[in-house]
């Protein structure tokens, strides 16, 4: 597996390799913080229950939607280098707050909302940045697979480090590790140069990300979206309305939006109950939140590697929906018993499906969306998935009181598996038309 990963890394262009490293460093920090720093602190240090975890996760998801819209709009207006510079500042501010004030329930809730905003602002790095590097479908698949591979390695490494830190220090100490990861990500970002959809100011070396942020606040900045084929200036496309129009005027993007919404409608119930499942059903300590998440990461790395072997003609909506169903089946194994070893196997299966889903979904969006609105189009995709994930949070406390934590998780897993099947059955003609647009011979 390692040889395969290294071979794929060598096949990437220098800018793509920098992008992969930027994504990896920050994502390792994020993975150490979300489960351990937020849910781990709430569940184990503060003895949180279903209602409190549901509120915290709901706020995190809601502000992730806000952050995604803000980040996507800023990306389309100013380009990826200025976007990344502002991302670094936002994430370091969130880290500092959580380290200092994260031991209090109200402060942790506010910190979770801020973390959600920063996560949403971060999403374009993997979802949209590749479209600034190439328009070739094969190369896009390769870049998205590489991004998924390192993200899933982060799912392994981050929780392991987070679990280790939590075993010797307060759980919120993991935010210091996240801050260090964000600072390190500035190194590859300094040389990241997009080649599509942006223009650079002439003369001399480009400034680094931090310098560009200060420069951009006063003027046009080093990166601005170029005019599209219509000849309109980039500023006329800066509103969110253009991004909404880009999704819902495009059959493929609109279908991907609703498919994501329906699939995550079931998956969202896992977030507020997962830590309680560890504590009350599996009866394991907080460190196991890291170990089981790492198992999911191992499966996801394998899944991302498998995507590299999928022919471009199979990069379709139909393939994506089949994999979403597989993710639901993995969820059922994961939460179906009180045995931690079975949960470990379920996490691997869940990760395997998820590792294939992410690069395929991102590639499909990048293939169908124009680069001038790629940030806002992906913001809408994030909104669809996050909104689907937020709705179950309103019902989780009530369902958990009736069915128990594990019963609620099983019901949610059934929904995750069944929604893609329903979409495949009742929308097969539309799916065939969408897939034929980019794969006429498929």
């Amino acid at each position: 597996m390692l040889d395969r990963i290294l071979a794929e890394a060598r096949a990437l262009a220098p800018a793509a390799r920098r992008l992969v490293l930027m994504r990896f460093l920050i994502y390792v920090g994020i993975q150490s913080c979300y489960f351990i720093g937020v849910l781990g602190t709430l569940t184990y240090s503060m003895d949180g229950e279903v209602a409190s975890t549901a509120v915290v996760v709901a706020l995190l998801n809601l502000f992730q939607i806000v952050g995604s819209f803000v980040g996507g709009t800023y990306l389309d207006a100013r380009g990826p280098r200025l976007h990344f510079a502002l991302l670094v500042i936002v994430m370091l501010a969130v880290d500092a707050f959580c380290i200092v004030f994260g031991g209090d329930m109200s402060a942790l809730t506010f910190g979770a909302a801020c973390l959600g905003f920063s996560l949403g602002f971060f999403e374009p790095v993997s979802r949209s940045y590749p479209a600034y590097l190439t328009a070739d479908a094969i190369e896009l698949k390769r870049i998205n697979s590489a991004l998924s591979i390192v993200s899933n390695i982060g799912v392994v490494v981050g929780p392991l480090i987070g679990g280790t830190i939590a075993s010797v220090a307060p759980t919120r100490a993991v935010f210091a590790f996240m801050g260090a990861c964000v600072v390190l990500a500035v190194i590859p970002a300094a040389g990241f140069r997009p080649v599509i959809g942006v223009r650079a100011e002439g003369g001399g070396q480009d400034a680094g990300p931090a310098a560009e942020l200060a420069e951009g606040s006063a003027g046009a900045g080093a990166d601005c979206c170029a005019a599209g084929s219509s000849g309109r200036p980039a500023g006329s496309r800066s509103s969110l309305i253009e991004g909404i129009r880009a999704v819902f005027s495009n059959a493929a993007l609109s279908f991907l939006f609703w498919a994501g919404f329906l699939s995550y409608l079931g998956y969202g119930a896992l977030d507020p109950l997962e830590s309680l499942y560890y504590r009350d059903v599996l009866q394991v300590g907080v460190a196991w939140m890291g170990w089981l998440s790492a198992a999911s990461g191992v499966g996801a790395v394998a899944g991302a590697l498998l995507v590299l072997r999928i022919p471009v003609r199979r990069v379709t909506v139909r393939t994506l929906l089949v994999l979403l169903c597989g993710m639901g089946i993995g969820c059922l194994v994961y939460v179906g018993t009180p045995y931690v070893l079975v949960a470990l196997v379920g996490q691997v299966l869940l990760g395997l499906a998820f590792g294939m889903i992410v690069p395929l979904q991102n590639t499909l969006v990048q293939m169908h969306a124009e680069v001038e609105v790629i940030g806002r189009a992906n913001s809408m995709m994030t909104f669809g998935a996050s909104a689907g994930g937020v709705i179950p949070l309103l019902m989780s406390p009530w369902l958990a009181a009736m069915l128990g934590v594990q019963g609620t998780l099983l019901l949610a897993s059934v929904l995750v598996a069944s929604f893609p099947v329903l979409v495949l059955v009742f929308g097969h003609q539309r799916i065939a038309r969408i897939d034929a647009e980019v794969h006429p011979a498929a």
Side-chain angles (χ1 to χ4, degrees):
M1 182 181 291
L2 180 60
D3 291 341
R4 179 66 174 171
I5 293 173
L6 293 175
E8 290 301 323
R10 286 191 291 268
L12 294 174
R17 287 199 293 268
R18 286 181 176 274
L19 173 58
V20 167
L21 189 55
M22 290 154 58
R23 166 72 176 180
F24 171 72
L25 288 169
I26 292 185
Y27 203 65
V28 166
I30 287 173
Q31 286 299 313
S32 71
C33 284
Y34 176 68
F35 288 107
I36 306 296
V38 176
L39 295 181
T41 299
L42 182 63
T43 303
Y44 287 89
S45 300
M46 299 181 178
D47 295 322
E49 297 298 336
V50 175
S52 57
T53 53
V55 169
V56 168
V57 173
L59 280 173
L60 191 149
N61 285 346
L62 286 171
F63 277 88
Q64 185 172 352
I65 293 171
V66 175
S68 178
F69 276 118
V70 173
T73 302
Y74 190 81
L75 171 66
D76 290 340
R78 309 310 296 270
R81 282 171 60 79
L82 284 172
H83 172 270
F84 195 83
L86 185 55
L87 170 68
V88 168
I89 293 173
V90 169
M91 298 200 88
L92 289 178
V94 172
D95 287 339
F97 177 86
C98 291
I99 291 169
V100 176
F101 302 107
D104 176 75
M105 173 65 81
S106 59
L108 179 65
T109 303
F110 178 77
C114 293
L115 179 63
F117 179 88
S118 66
L119 295 182
F121 202 92
F122 171 67
E123 285 197 354
V125 174
S126 60
R127 285 180 174 265
S128 303
Y129 281 25
Y132 286 89
L133 299 180
T134 181
D136 180 73
I138 296 176
E139 187 64 18
L140 278 175
K141 183 168 75 77
R142 181 179 290 118
I143 295 173
N144 285 313
S145 295
L147 286 168
S148 184
I149 288 169
V150 298
S151 297
N152 294 316
I153 292 174
V155 173
V156 178
V157 176
L160 287 176
I161 294 175
T164 301
I165 293 173
S167 66
V168 297
T171 50
R172 70 178 186 272
V174 296
F175 286 98
F177 172 71
M178 179 176 173
C181 292
V182 172
V183 171
L184 287 174
V186 174
I187 298 173
F192 178 74
R193 298 289 187 272
V195 296
I196 295 177
V198 296
R199 61 177 176 83
E201 297 291 334
Q205 295 290 328
D206 289 342
E212 284 185 328
L213 179 61
E215 186 179 324
S217 64
D223 290 328
C224 298
C225 287
S229 58
S230 63
R232 293 178 297 168
S236 68
R237 292 191 294 273
S238 61
S239 71
L240 291 176
I241 300 300
E242 188 69 24
I244 295 172
R245 184 181 298 117
V247 170
F248 291 106
S249 64
N250 183 301
L253 296 180
S254 176
F255 194 89
L256 287 168
F257 174 89
W258 289 114
F261 173 82
L262 291 173
S263 297
Y264 279 85
L265 193 63
Y267 191 69
L270 270 67
D271 272 349
L273 301 179
E274 198 169 13
S275 58
L276 299 175
Y277 172 64
Y278 291 166
R279 187 189 68 185
D280 300 337
V281 179
L282 297 181
Q283 297 183 350
V284 293
V286 64
W288 272 96
M289 295 182 70
W291 315 146
L292 287 170
S293 295
S296 177
V298 171
V301 170
L305 286 171
L306 286 175
V307 170
L308 293 169
R309 298 186 176 276
I310 296 178
V312 173
R313 69 180 185 277
R314 298 300 180 193
V315 180
T316 62
V317 172
R318 186 179 301 276
T319 301
L320 181 68
L321 290 170
V322 170
L323 291 172
L324 284 169
C325 179
M327 186 172 73
I329 294 172
C331 288
L332 282 169
V333 177
Y334 171 38
V335 302
T337 75
Y339 306 114
V340 68
L341 292 181
V342 177
L344 193 71
V345 173
Q347 279 282 54
V348 173
L349 295 175
L350 176 59
L352 184 68
F354 189 76
M356 300 182 74
I357 288 167
V358 171
L360 284 175
Q361 184 177 32
N362 289 343
T363 300
L364 285 167
V365 174
Q366 292 157 17
M367 289 168 64
H368 287 282
E370 295 182 1
V371 70
E372 291 87 356
V373 293
I374 186 69
R376 284 161 290 175
N378 271 312
S379 294
M380 285 302 299
M381 296 300 165
T382 299
F383 171 75
S386 297
V390 166
I391 292 173
L393 299 177
L394 304 175
M395 301 181 291
S396 293
W398 174 70
L399 287 173
M402 289 182 56
L403 305 175
V405 169
Q406 189 175 25
T408 305
L409 291 174
L410 284 169
L411 175 61
S413 300
V414 170
L415 294 177
V416 176
S418 60
F419 273 130
V421 174
L422 293 174
V423 174
L424 281 168
V425 171
F426 293 103
H428 66 278
Q429 291 183 338
R430 188 176 181 186
I431 293 170
R433 287 196 299 269
I434 291 171
D435 290 339
E437 290 178 9
V438 290
H439 305 295

